[in-house]
Amino acid sequence: MVSEYDTTIDACLSVMMGPTKTADYLQDLWLRAATIAQEHVPRRKTEVVTEVTDRLIKLGRDRAAAELCLSAGFHKEALKTALRARLWDVGDRICLARPDLKKELEAVMNAIAERMARQRESLEAKERAIEAFNEQNYKGAVDLLKKAIKLDP
C-alpha cells in the first residue's frame, strides 16, 4: 500500500537540477525525503538513503552525504564517503559510534601523512637540484631530480 509518505518521498526525489533549482534547494529536498523514509517508511530507508547519498556526492555535497549515512546508521558507507572527501572530523565521529572502523580511518590518515612527507622531501630535492644546476653541477642536479621523481612520481 502506498502511503502519503511514499508519495512525498517520490515527489521529493523526482526533482532534479534545473534552471530554477539550486544545489542547496536540491540538497534540502532530498534530505527531507531521506528523513521521511527513516522516520516513517522504514522499508524504504536503505533505498532512499542510498539514492540521496549518491545524488549528494554527484552534486559535490560529500559532507552532507557522509552525515546522512552516519545519521542513518550506515557507518561503513559514511566512513567511505568521509575518507574520499578527507572529512576527518566526520571520520572521527563515525569511529566514536563504530570503534571497529578506527583502524581503517587511521590507515588512510597514515597513508596520506606518508605521501605528504614524500612530497615534501621531493620538493626539497627539486629545490636542491635547482641550486646544483645554478652552480653548474649538472650531474648533481640530475641525480637530485631523479630522487625527486622517485619520491613523488
Side-chain angles (χ1 to χ4, degrees):
M1 182 175 147
V2 177
S3 69
E4 286 181 26
Y5 294 120
D6 285 300
T7 304
T8 303
I9 291 168
D10 293 336
C12 290
L13 294 179
S14 71
V15 179
M16 297 297 197
M17 189 63 94
T20 61
K21 308 295 187 263
T22 67
D24 288 338
Y25 175 81
L26 292 174
Q27 176 179 324
D28 182 58
L29 192 63
W30 296 339
L31 287 174
R32 288 175 194 268
T35 300
I36 293 168
Q38 290 179 76
E39 294 177 2
H40 303 287
V41 193
R43 66 182 160 70
R44 292 191 65 188
K45 174 183 171 180
T46 300
E47 165 208 346
V48 175
V49 169
T50 301
E51 177 66 25
V52 171
T53 298
D54 290 344
R55 289 181 184 196
L56 290 170
I57 290 169
K58 288 176 185 167
L59 203 58
R61 303 297 176 104
D62 296 290
R63 180 173 293 278
E67 296 283 358
L68 172 59
C69 288
L70 178 58
S71 72
F74 301 153
H75 299 110
K76 287 186 178 185
E77 293 80 3
L79 185 59
K80 178 181 167 186
T81 301
L83 292 176
R84 192 185 70 254
R86 297 185 178 190
L87 301 169
W88 310 126
D89 59 318
V90 178
D92 286 337
R93 288 200 341 267
I94 294 163
C95 291
L96 288 175
R98 286 280 305 275
D100 59 304
L101 298 175
K102 184 90 172 152
K103 286 184 181 180
E104 189 175 338
L105 174 64
E106 289 174 347
V108 171
M109 291 176 75
N110 288 338
I112 290 171
E114 289 172 12
R115 179 167 182 185
M116 289 174 68
R118 285 192 313 272
Q119 287 173 333
R120 203 171 20 257
E121 192 176 343
S122 174
L123 183 59
E124 290 169 1
K126 290 173 192 171
E127 290 170 353
R128 289 196 317 269
I130 291 169
E131 291 171 8
F133 181 83
N134 289 338
E135 295 169 359
Q136 297 182 348
N137 177 1
Y138 303 116
K139 182 182 178 334
V142 168
D143 291 342
L144 286 165
L145 286 174
K146 285 180 181 177
K147 178 182 178 182
I149 291 169
K150 184 177 180 183
L151 287 167
D152 186 27

